[in-house]
Amino acid sequence: MQPFTTITAIAVPMHEANIDTNQLCPTRFNKVPRGPRYREILFYDSRFKPDGTPTEFMLNAAPYDQSGIIVADRNFGCGSSRETAVYALYEFGIRCVIAPSFGDIFAANCAKNGLLALTLPEEECAAIRRQLQDRPGATISVDLAAQTVTDVEGKAHHFEIHEVRKRCLLEGLDDIARTQQYAERIAGFEKNYYKDRPWLGARI
Amino acid sequence: MTGNTPQSIIEKLWNSHHILSDEGESLMYVDVALAQENTLHAFTALEKSGRKVIRPGQIFAFTDHYVPTTGRARGTDAIADTGIRNMVIDMQNMAKKYGVTLFGMAHEHQGIMHIVPPEQGIIQPGLFVIGNDSHTSTHGAFGCLAYGVGASEFAHVMATQALWQRKPKAMRITIDGDPGFGVTAKDLILALIAQIGVDGATGHAIEYAGSTIQALSMEGRMTVCNMSIEAGARVGLIAPDDKTYAWVEGRPYAPTGRAWEQALDAWRALGTDVGAKFDREVKLDATQIAPTATWGISPEHALPITGVVPDPAGIKDPQKRSEYETALEYMALRPGMALTDIRLDRVFIGSCTNARIEDLRAAAAVAQRGKAQVTTWVVPGSMAVKRQAEAEGLDQVFIKAGFEWRDPGCSMCTAINGDYLQPGERCASTSNRNFRNRQGPGGRTHLLSPAMAAAAAITGHLTDVRDLLK
Ligand code: SF4
């Protein structure tokens, strides 16, 4: 996994609440193997007409075709657990989504793929979206180690993030390797677990 | 109960699966993991890293999202689209390669990943269940902690049989009172989501309690828990009781003899202790809930069927106003029109929310009163449901009413197997998501119960099922 440390990038404001993972990656693309094709798949049904010609959706044209950050409204990434929604964001070049709240599974999926889903209060998200609206193509910066977002006007916003999520992102750490250090503890737990629950049978 | 501190069922389940804590996260032991064709992404990741599935006996794979709902006798050859066909074939091969139990396309118990495991007795009270699908919360109906996860976390479980989690906050939703005539589990959960919002339970595990929940059948409980994710919760559960045990007993994976007695003793201690604390409590009066349908593009856009399409002009909050405008534009509805005036093109009765035998019985009871006015599909949730329905003659009721009787799978719930709406088509659906394009690009979805869906089918518009059954 690519580490995430800092980013300064064009940020695209998305004013709508509840942008779900079906919109990020329409269901019929879930079968596409992970890879560059996902760049086109992101928001496919908003970006392309049924005949395949591009719409006016903002990600289709400059400056937002170069976006690295999305500033959204509440409940971004709700819905399906599909990790393909994260593949699509990632391949498009999005490394960070800022929103007042996220779908839980989506936020976890982001963290596993080097993408930072960070939470700022509703008013701060709205203020940053307004700035971006006024100055299309403006950049904002995110510093994960310092836990700050620097908005268009240079104002710093502090954000909270769980320490493990932060460390894994900063180091680009693979979760499975982390867990395997505990293999013995897991095995020990498992033995007792089944001893106390004979009805679960010999599942292992 | 440890010591004297009263515990909720959520805490009990959490503690019994907690292996260790590290940096504020908990490593949790996973009993059962459920895969579907899209889990190929997890298998591919595992394969790339050269890792193994350490407990294949605890991983179960289902072909449901991509399977066709007709022409089953021809096997995967019945799938015309190569991309779709390969998803089914590749997943079946991957499951075999890694030695996980497969309910493949030709299996006599094939069906949806949230319908088959309870049928098989794979789901039992007290388990920590994960699934590579957000509606894994369904299994909470048995008193399980059941989480939906993405591909990376699923790969992690296959490699370690454990999952890192942070303890969710606990929320109790108590529903009391006798729901009125024609009001089902689906109406309860839609009304609840309309009340608390689609992010109303984010970060929480929900325990559903109260007399209304206790009175529900296991099927109804599964419907309620299924849609917890639509309120933002990853977990929604109900303490097990005699109905739960009666459901599990005698199923293929259920314990027997002395083991059954031991299990029962343990399961009986799972319920929330009197005096246990919850971070949030919500109460709902079931007597106030009417048959419900959604009008918009989010499950919280739900109203009693007697209602009218809301008028954005009357909404003060500009954000919400524009959300409603977007929804009405997508759904092509006029503010103020009666919900019952919404004319339909299609009806879909199916999905892991509402394709169990009880759902089909409810739909058939309405279907026998008329003839389908629009194309109506009934897609049973599993082969077992299908056979049971046929044994009861429900298939004949549907066919006589002009409904199409199809083979089990997710079908038009997520429109990935080739079953989908045409752009602009409007569908009354017993599934769980009315997001834009969910049932096909440009498709429009109204969520409702099986009885309401059947009522809509025989009138051609959204209908108050109580008027038909009177
Ligand atoms: S029926 Fe729908 S919600 Fe349920 S598992 Fe299938 S696609 Fe997901």
Side-chain angles (χ1 to χ4, degrees), chain A residues 15-16 22 27 30 32 73-74 79-80 83 162 164 167 174 178-179 182 185 190 193-194 204, chain B residues 17 20 22-23 25 29 31-32 41 51 55 58 151-152 156 164 166 199 319 414 433 436 438:
Chain A
H15 299 288
E16 205 181 301
N22 285 47
T27 309
N30 280 337
V32 175
D73 197 1
R74 72 178 177 105
S80 155
E83 209 156 303
H162 192 276
V164 178
R167 187 170 60 82
D174 174 343
R178 173 184 171 216
T179 310
Y182 295 112
R185 300 256 320 254
E190 199 171 47
Y193 184 82
Y194 286 111
I204 54 174
Chain B
H17 292 86
L20 57 92
D22 179 34
E23 295 182 280
E25 282 194 327
Y29 187 72
D31 293 285
V32 167
H41 290 291
R51 290 178 168 119
R55 297 283 177 252
Q58 289 169 247
S152 296
H156 181 278
W164 291 102
R166 270 169 267 157
D199 55 356
Q319 193 71 23
T414 192
R433 287 189 175 135
R436 273 167 288 189
R438 167 81 177 184

Side-chain angles (χ1 to χ4, degrees), chain A residues 126-144:
Chain A
I128 300 174
R129 287 201 307 272
R130 273 197 301 274
Q131 295 172 357
L132 294 167
Q133 191 75 22
D134 294 344
R135 291 187 40 198
T139 62
I140 62 177
S141 303
V142 177
D143 183 334
L144 177 55

Side-chain angles (χ1 to χ4, degrees), chain A residues 1 14-23 25-35 38 43-46 48 50 72-84 87 100-113 122 126 129 161-168 171 173-191 193-204, chain B residues 15-25 27 29-32 36 38 41-42 46 48-49 51 54-55 57-58 60 66 81 83-84 87 121-122 124-128 131-134 147-153 155-156 159-162 164 166 197-199 201-204 229-230 232-234 253-255 259-260 262-263 266-267 297-298 300-301 319 322-323 326 414-416 423 433 435-438 440-441:
Chain A
M1 179 175 109
M14 295 195 174
H15 299 288
E16 205 181 301
N18 305 320
I19 291 180
D20 60 79
T21 52
N22 285 47
Q23 292 181 59
C25 174
T27 309
R28 61 192 182 282
F29 297 114
N30 280 337
K31 54 186 180 299
V32 175
R34 188 169 195 169
Y38 276 98
F43 282 113
Y44 191 93
D45 288 335
S46 308
F48 301 96
D73 197 1
R74 72 178 177 105
N75 209 23
F76 187 90
C78 61
S80 155
S81 64
R82 66 191 62 181
E83 209 156 303
T84 50
Y87 304 164
S101 62
F102 290 95
D104 275 348
I105 306 178
F106 173 79
N109 289 343
C110 283
K112 310 287 173 201
N113 289 281
E122 200 147 350
R129 287 201 307 272
I161 182 169
H162 192 276
E163 56 185 309
V164 178
R165 205 164 265 183
K166 177 175 173 179
R167 187 170 60 82
C168 288
E171 296 173 13
L173 200 72
D174 174 343
D175 234 16
I176 299 181
R178 173 184 171 216
T179 310
Q180 283 174 334
Q181 298 168 6
Y182 295 112
E184 266 177 41
R185 300 256 320 254
I186 301 172
F189 177 93
E190 199 171 47
K191 228 173 114 194
Y193 184 82
Y194 286 111
K195 204 171 87 209
D196 293 347
R197 292 168 186 76
W199 63 90
L200 289 179
R203 291 202 176 204
I204 54 174
Chain B
N15 293 340
S16 62
H17 292 86
H18 182 267
I19 304 168
L20 57 92
S21 297
D22 179 34
E23 295 182 280
E25 282 194 327
L27 190 62
Y29 187 72
V30 175
D31 293 285
V32 167
Q36 40 115 346
N38 285 317
H41 290 291
L46 201 71
K48 255 202 188 139
S49 67
R51 290 178 168 119
I54 67 158
R55 297 283 177 252
Q58 289 169 247
F60 298 84
Y66 288 81
D81 181 294
I84 294 175
M87 283 301 279
I122 293 167
Q124 301 168 14
L127 301 182
F128 186 49
N132 184 207
D133 186 280
S134 55
Y147 276 80
V149 302
S152 296
E153 290 193 315
H156 181 278
T160 65
Q161 206 53 36
W164 291 102
R166 270 169 267 157
V198 283
D199 55 356
T202 302
H204 289 76
I229 182 80
E230 259 55 70
R234 271 171 106 168
Y253 283 80
W260 172 256
Q262 287 171 319
W267 296 345
I297 53 174
S298 161
E300 74 183 21
H301 297 158
Q319 193 71 23
S322 92
E323 178 193 321
T326 308
T414 192
I416 196 173
R433 287 189 175 135
F435 298 159
R436 273 167 288 189
N437 308 311
R438 167 81 177 184

